């Protein structure tokens, strides 16, 4: 497309000529150019330059009445002329002062106008006079204007005033000018078009050339006007007439005639395609193009210049592809949902530029092919030889060539004969290297196809490129490209296509001197599944030769004897075959051990199976089998015959003294002393099918005699460890308790082996799975480990300095000792037969958890460098020793009014916090229940405030009321112990931490001298301390006697600074009579205490409920009701007799 | 005239490929069949197909080369049939009926108990039957 002249590639733009006032040309040109649609300007600085507008002497043949046969269809410069030299409008610019001032200047202006008029005479070019005023005040008189108009013979509207005194005026004037120009241009091109159209309509010209020319011109004029549909119509017409003319015209010699017609057809078709594509009609454009191709494909012309046809043909595809690419935005996917059906006869690729690039490349190859033939035939026929003339140049008509002849100073242009033209065209064509052009086209197609995901089509384009490189002897590039193509065909198993590509590759490798690759490609070819079916004999597979069995055999013989021929190089060719190599079909090695595991030093048998798809039998002179344990390697030097498509099975025995994995790595086959194939051994169980042979309809064969082994056989075997002769014992004394250091004794006794380099590994694993012994969130803190391996005690070196374990660890670096939270390693000293060694694992549980303890001992028995491992495991559960609980209470018959309790009654959804009364004795009862299976000794129980007891500010006082009486309280499983504490808060606080209850205990074991004391903590909740506004207390004797009156006082203390009003009431009771107010109200002064006094007489004995006492605070609308226990009293039937000796003090009431 | 028919397996591997033309084009036909797999891939993976065409086995014109037209067909077992013809104005109905007959022949061939699914079809009777179907395609076009 770039070869086309610019005026053809871009839509035409109207042309306006400016003359006079050169200083204004630039702003006017710039403005017109930026208009939509733009207008080009031809700026002539002064009137003397206007002669460029003059017409040539020879008249346009259109207007000549006597038709002379035209010498060509389209003139080469016609389009350019109309775009750059023939304006639609000529604008003469005069300054206002030139007109109105000096008469001499007026005369000059008149002369200039006359000149202009004469220049454009005979054309329909419009004349516009522009009067340039620098100031709006410079108004010209009416009669001067009229005189000027008359001189110029123009309408009044074609005389324009151009005011430029300020920006807005200038803009306005420019706009006015532009719209006038646009209008006049439209009229001009319309008239020109109409004029030519009338010629066509008037008489059908005897010369189709003229018809084509006229149609072309009308279309161009329509394009000037941006009337695309008319342009399209006349281009189509021109194209039609041209096609008809192809068979009838006799004006030029036949070869040149066809060249001219095709050139014109190409240009017209280019215009049509451009118009269609820019109009978004991509389907029509494609259909139009296909028709174009179909029409001209058979118009090859004479055989000696058929290369010209194919070159032209290829160019059609290239140009169309480029056009499609530039208008790629309008992809047709939305237009037709499904291609390839009767509704949409196109397929996807016809809308892709890549498709056309590829075809362009194909036809360029065709051209080169024809060119080569033409060149040959030219040299064959020396009689007809015509020297190519030196000075051939394009003639004045498009698509024609002419010869320049210089005779002295006179230069004449002569037409060419066909023979001369052919010679010239041949000489021109031979100058170009087509192969690079072809490669570039294929490359563009390939890139475009792969970006669309069409891998196979891209592959075909790559193949085209590779063939071109091959043809131009660039074997390096060629081989690289062929390799990528071969990979594709190998993957999908297209053997015939692969055969062709491998043929090229083999030849490339041969020419590049790559011995290994040559052999590899040859062997792969020989092992390809291609069979003679009759046709293959005659297909041209390139250097590969026919894809027949005999050819395969021939290639195999060549490859196997290749190194012998190049005798100077004695080194054999080495080929590596891995599980993805295409050479697996040449030699496939499967190795299967018959067992899965074997004892050390006993015999393991294995089968080595070889399979080859080479067409001929070959002999393996030496077979070397290599293992990961080099001691097991073996080789077979008896010649082995490998038959085509048949497993050769060899059974061998190996013996390994080393435990672990014994794996067969490679099998090397030496063939003919010049080829070594090194195959990676494959397990029959995991062996993949050969990509090229797996679709062949062949009998299924197995690499081993036993088909079961073929399905399960492995190329590796496990060599077991020798049996350990060591006892490893783990003991434990029942469940572990959370908090204590729990000891697990480990005993190692040698029962036959001498233990060298023994190493004991300890691992703690969560028995319920998960493996993690720490909470996932806080892995960093040591406290977060639920179970922790603390240390290993009882080691000989530790006994000496038990306190400084860290130091011993550092100094004795040869003694491995590492302990982490769940993992530990400790070394075991050398133990002779019968000796024993023991240690204790110390483990602490932070949370109750079930844990598996794994202990494994690894050692070397004797001198052999082989480790033996013994494993033991033990499941231990860590349990909580105590179930601890607590309860808050108030002192008996004392009720403080706590506001937060009232609030929580109103809104029970709020978080409930225990409230304690300020400066009152609040009782806490802590109970601890032994929930283990063993008896425990309780040492102490105390409440420790948070931050320790010696805190600066005492927030509350703690007093132990009852607790552990003697030093150690033994309590059996299930027994509960209670401690009673009194807490007196000193500060009112909404959130007060009461600290933790520490319970110190030991295991109750008799055999240990000094059992370790363990502290279990139970944290008390946060409480709210507040000052009760009212405190009610009931004072009452501890018991009563029937009929004996007693006093009951209700004391209500007002702790506030306000006057408190209370209501109080006492219910009735059958068992008592009392004196005092049933219901009453009272007021209590700030800080004072109200004492209500009642006298009761009980009627009946036993536990009796006092009348219900209710005290209501009016201010807080709160009731203080003593609990049922507080309202209960025991009534004796008569005065009791207590033993005075025992509890004399209790009698005093 | 039909110049080539092919059966292509799941891995896009050729299971059967028979050309009915002179030797010159045989390799070219291999290339054409191989490349048309790209179009089949695109059509099969294209989710834009409407519901009515979801169960359609006939894939239509895959791509026109200048001398050939290539048609495709996808069986319910995802085996692809490809047909290359030199007739440039073929009716869809004829191609459909050809593929139906060809499918029937293919089904009979793979129903052979000695045929291993996924392997190349080497049955002679299948070849003969395909030859008959191909020959019967030509005259029906000229009618």
């Amino acid at each position: 497309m770039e070869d086309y002249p610019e005026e053809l590639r871009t839509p035409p733009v109207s042309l306006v000529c400016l003359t006079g006032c050169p200083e204004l040309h630039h702003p006017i040109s710039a403005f017109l150019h930026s208009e939509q649609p733009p207008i080009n300007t031809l700026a002539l600085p002064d009137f003397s330059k206007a002669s460029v507008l003059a017409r040539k002497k020879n008249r346009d043949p259109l207007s000549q009445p006597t038709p002379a046969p035209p010498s060509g269809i389209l003139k080469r410069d016609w389009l350019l002329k109309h775009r750059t030299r023939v304006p639609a409008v000529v604008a003469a610019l005069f300054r206002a002062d030139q007109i109105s001032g000096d008469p001499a200047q007026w005369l000059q202006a008149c002369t200039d106008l006359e000149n202009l008029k004469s220049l454009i005479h005979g054309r329909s070019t419009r004349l516009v006079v522009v009067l340039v005023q620098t100031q709006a005040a410079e108004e010209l008189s009416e009669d001067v204007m009229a005189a000027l108009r008359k001189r110029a013979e123009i309408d009044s509207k074609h005389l324009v005033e151009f005011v430029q005194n300020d920006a807005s005026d200038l803009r306005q004037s420019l706009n006015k000018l532009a719209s006038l120009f646009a209008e006049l241009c439209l009229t001009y091109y319309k008239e020109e078009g109409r004029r030519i159209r009338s010629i066509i309509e008037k008489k059908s010209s005897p010369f189709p050339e003229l018809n084509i020319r006229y149609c072309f011109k009308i279309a161009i004029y329509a394009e000037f006007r941006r009337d695309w549909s008319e342009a399209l119509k006349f281009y189509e017409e021109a194209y039609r007439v041209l096609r008809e003319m192809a068979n009838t015209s006799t004006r030029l010699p036949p070869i040149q005639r066809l060249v001219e017609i095709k050139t014109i057809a190409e240009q017209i078709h280019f215009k049509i395609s451009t118009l269609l594509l820019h109009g978004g009609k991509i389907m029509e454009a494609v259909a139009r193009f296909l028709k174009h191709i179909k029409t001209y494909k058979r118009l090859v012309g004479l055989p000696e210049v058929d290369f010209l046809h194919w070159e032209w043909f290829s160019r059609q595809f290239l140009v169309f592809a480029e056009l499609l690419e530039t208008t790629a935005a309008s992809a047709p996917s939305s237009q037709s949902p499904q291609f390839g059906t009767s509704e949409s006869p196109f397929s996807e690729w016809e809308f892709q530029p890549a498709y056309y690039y590829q075809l362009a490349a194909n036809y360029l190859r065709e051209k080169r092919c024809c060119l080569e033939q033409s060149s040959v035939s030219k040299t064959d026929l020396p009689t007809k030889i015509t020297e190519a003339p030196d000075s051939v140049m394009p003639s004045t008509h498009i698509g024609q060539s002419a010869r320049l002849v210089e005779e002295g100073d006179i230069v004449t242009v002569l037409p060419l004969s066909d023979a001369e033209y052919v010679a010239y065209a041949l000489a021109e064509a031979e100058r170009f290297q087509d192969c690079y052009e072809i490669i570039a086209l294929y490359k563009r197609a390939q890139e475009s196809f792969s970006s669309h995901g069409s891998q196979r089509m891209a592959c075909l384009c790559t193949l085209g490129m590779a063939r071109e490189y091959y043809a131009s002897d660039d074997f390096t590039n060629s081989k690289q490209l062929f390799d990528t193509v071969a990979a594709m065909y190998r993957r999908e198993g297209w053997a015939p296509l692969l055969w062709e590509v491998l043929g090229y590759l083999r030849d490339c490798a041969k020419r590049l001197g790559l011995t290994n690759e040559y052999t590899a490609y040859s062997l792969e070819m020989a092992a390809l599944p291609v069979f003679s079916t009759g046709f293959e004999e005659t297909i041209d597979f390139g250097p590969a030769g026919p894809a027949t069995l005999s050819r395969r055999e021939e290639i195999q013989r060549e490859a196997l004897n290749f190194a012998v021929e190049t005798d100077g190089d004695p080194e054999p060719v080495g080929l590596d075959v891995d599980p993805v190599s295409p050479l697996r079909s040449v030699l496939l090695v499967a190795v299967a051990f018959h067992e899965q595991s074997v004892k050390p030093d006993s015999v393991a048998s294995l089968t080595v199976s070889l399979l080859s798809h080479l067409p001929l039998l070959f002999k393996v002179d030496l077979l070397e089998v290599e293992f990961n344990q080099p001691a097991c390697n073996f080789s077979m030097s008896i010649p082995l015959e490998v038959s085509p498509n048949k497993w050769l099975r060899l059974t061998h025995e190996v013996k390994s003294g080393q435990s672990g994995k014994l794996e067969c790595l490679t099998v090397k086959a030496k063939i003919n002393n010049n080829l070594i194939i090194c195959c990676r051994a494959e397990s029959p169980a995991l062996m993949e099918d050969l990509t090229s042979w797996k679709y062949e309809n062949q009998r299924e064969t197995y690499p081993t005699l036993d088909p079961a082994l073929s399905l399960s056989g492995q190329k590796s075997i496990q060599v077991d460890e020798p049996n350990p002769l060591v006892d490893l014992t783990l003991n434990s004394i029942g469940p572990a308790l959370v908090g204590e250091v729990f000891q697990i004794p480990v005993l190692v006794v040698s029962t036959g082996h001498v233990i060298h380099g023994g190493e004991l590994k300890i691992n703690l694993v969560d028995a319920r799975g998960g493996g993690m012994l720490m909470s996932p969130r806080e892995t960093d803190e040591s406290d977060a480990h639920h179970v922790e391996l603390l240390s290993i005690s009882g080691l000989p070196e530790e006994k000496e300095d038990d306190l400084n374990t860290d130091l011993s660890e550092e100094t004795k670096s040869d003694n491995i000792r590492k302990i982490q939270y769940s993992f530990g390693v400790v070394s075991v000293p050398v133990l002779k037969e019968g000796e024993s060694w023991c240690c204790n694992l110390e483990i602490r549980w932070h949370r109750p958890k079930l844990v598996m303890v794994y202990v494994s001992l690894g050692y070397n028995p004797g001198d052999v460098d082989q480790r033996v491992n013994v494993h033991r495991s033990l499941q231990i559960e860590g349990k909580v020793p105590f179930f601890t609980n607590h309860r808050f209470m108030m002192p008996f018959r004392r009720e403080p009014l706590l506001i937060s309790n009232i609030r929580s009654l109103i809104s029970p959804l709020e978080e409930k916090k225990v409230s304690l009364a300020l400066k009152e004795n609040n009782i806490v009862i802590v109970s601890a229940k032994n929930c283990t299976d063993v008896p425990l000794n309780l040492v102490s129980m105390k409440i420790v405030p948070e931050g320790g007891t010696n805190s600066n500010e005492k927030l509350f006082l703690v007093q132990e009321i009852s607790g552990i009486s003697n030093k150690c309280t033994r309590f059996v499983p299930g027994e509960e112990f209670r401690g009673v504490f009194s807490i007196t808060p000193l500060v009112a606080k909404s959130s007060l931490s009461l600290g933790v209850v520490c319970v110190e205990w030991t295991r109750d074991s008799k055999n240990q001298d000094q059992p370790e004391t363990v502290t279990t903590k139970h944290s008390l909740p946060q409480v709210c301390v507040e000052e009760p506004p009212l405190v009610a207390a009931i004072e009452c004797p501890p018991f009563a006697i029937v009929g004996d009156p007693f006093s009951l006082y209700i004391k209500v203390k007002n702790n506030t600074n306000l006057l408190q009003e209370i209501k109080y009431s006492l219910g009735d009771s059958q068992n008592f009579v009392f004196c005092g107010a049933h219901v009453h109200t009272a007021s209590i002064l700030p800080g004072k205490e109200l004492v209500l006094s009642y006298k009761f007489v009980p009627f009946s004995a036993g536990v009796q409920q006092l009348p219900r006492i209710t005290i209501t605070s009016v201010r807080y609308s709160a009731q203080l009701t003593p609990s049922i226990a507080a309202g209960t009293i025991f009534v004796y039937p008569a005065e009791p007799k207590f033993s005075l000796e025992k509890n004399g003090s209790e009698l005093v009431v | 005239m039909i110049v080539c028919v092919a059966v292509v397996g799941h891995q896009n591997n050729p299971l059967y490929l028979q050309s009915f033309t002179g030797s010159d084009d045989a390799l070219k036909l291999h290339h054409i069949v191989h490349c048309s797999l790209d179009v089949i891939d695109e059509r099969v993976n294209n989710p834009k197909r409407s519901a009515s065409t979801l169960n359609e086995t006939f894939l239509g014109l895959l791509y026109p080369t200048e001398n050939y037209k290539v048609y495709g067909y996808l069986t319910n077992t995802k085996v692809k049939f490809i047909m290359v013809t030199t007739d440039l104005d073929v009716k869809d109905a004829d191609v459909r009926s050809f593929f139906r007959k060809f499918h029937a022949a293919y089904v009979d061939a793979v129903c052979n108990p000695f045929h291993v699914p996924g392997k190349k079809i080497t049955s002679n009777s299948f070849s003969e039957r395909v030859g008959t179907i191909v020959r019967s395609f030509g005259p029906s076009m000229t009618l």
Side-chain angles (χ1 to χ4, degrees), chain B residues 62-82:
Chain B
L62 298 182
Y63 81 102
T65 66
E66 284 148 294
N67 306 322
Y68 307 110
K69 284 199 164 194
V70 186
Y71 289 90
Y73 185 93
L74 183 75
T75 69
N76 40 8
T77 53
K78 309 285 179 221
V79 170
K80 295 147 199 163
F81 297 159
I82 292 167

Side-chain angles (χ1 to χ4, degrees), chain A residues 956-1111:
Chain A
F956 57 92
L957 295 174
V958 181
Q959 197 186 353
E960 189 173 343
I961 294 174
S962 86
I964 296 155
S965 48
N966 51 353
K967 198 69 189 156
C968 269
T969 309
R970 180 171 190 270
F971 65 130
V972 294
E975 195 180 336
E976 192 177 282
F977 172 81
R978 284 207 183 89
V980 182
F981 298 88
S982 150
I983 290 177
T984 313
L986 302 175
V987 187
K989 219 174 168 190
S990 67
S991 180
L992 176 69
S993 174
L994 291 178
V996 288
V997 177
C998 292
V999 183
E1000 288 186 351
W1001 56 274
T1002 58
R1003 272 186 189 249
D1004 184 36
S1005 56
K1006 279 146 193 127
N1007 50 0
Q1008 274 177 297
D1009 322 329
Q1010 200 178 3
E1012 187 204 7
T1013 310
V1014 185
T1015 306
T1016 303
K1017 288 178 178 175
H1018 171 79
S1019 58
L1020 291 170
Q1022 300 266 319
V1023 294
C1024 167
V1025 177
E1026 59 183 66
E1027 188 177 11
L1030 295 171
V1031 181
I1034 298 166
E1035 277 185 20
C1036 177
F1039 61 88
I1041 298 154
V1042 173
D1044 208 357
F1046 63 93
S1047 297
L1048 183 140
Y1049 304 100
I1050 300 171
K1051 292 181 178 169
V1052 182
K1053 173 111 193 269
N1054 178 3
N1055 286 337
T1056 60
N1057 297 327
L1058 306 165
L1059 181 75
Q1060 295 283 358
E1061 194 179 337
I1062 58 160
K1063 291 178 185 167
Y1064 59 92
S1065 66
L1066 259 75
D1068 281 324
S1069 172
Q1070 295 177 347
N1071 305 318
F1072 296 93
V1073 285
F1074 69 91
C1075 69
H1078 255 92
V1079 179
H1080 207 290
T1081 56
S1083 295
I1084 313 169
L1085 291 173
K1088 297 291 176 200
E1089 193 178 50
L1090 172 76
V1091 180
L1092 305 169
S1093 160
Y1094 288 90
K1095 208 76 171 175
F1096 277 75
V1097 179
F1099 285 163
S1100 48
V1103 177
Q1104 297 299 343
Q1105 194 66 38
L1106 285 168
R1108 192 168 177 72
I1109 302 163
T1110 312
I1111 301 155

Side-chain angles (χ1 to χ4, degrees), chain A residues 53-65:
Chain A
L53 303 177
R55 311 186 73 156
K56 296 228 180 78
K57 280 285 175 280
N58 53 345
R59 296 281 300 156
D60 193 338
L62 305 180
S63 51
Q64 281 190 355

Side-chain angles (χ1 to χ4, degrees), chain A residues 744-765:
Chain A
I744 302 170
V746 179
L747 180 67
V748 180
V749 181
S750 164
T751 57
H753 274 159
V754 179
I755 298 177
H756 287 284
E759 204 176 274
L760 198 67
K761 287 183 189 165
I762 302 110
N763 234 321
L764 304 185
V765 176

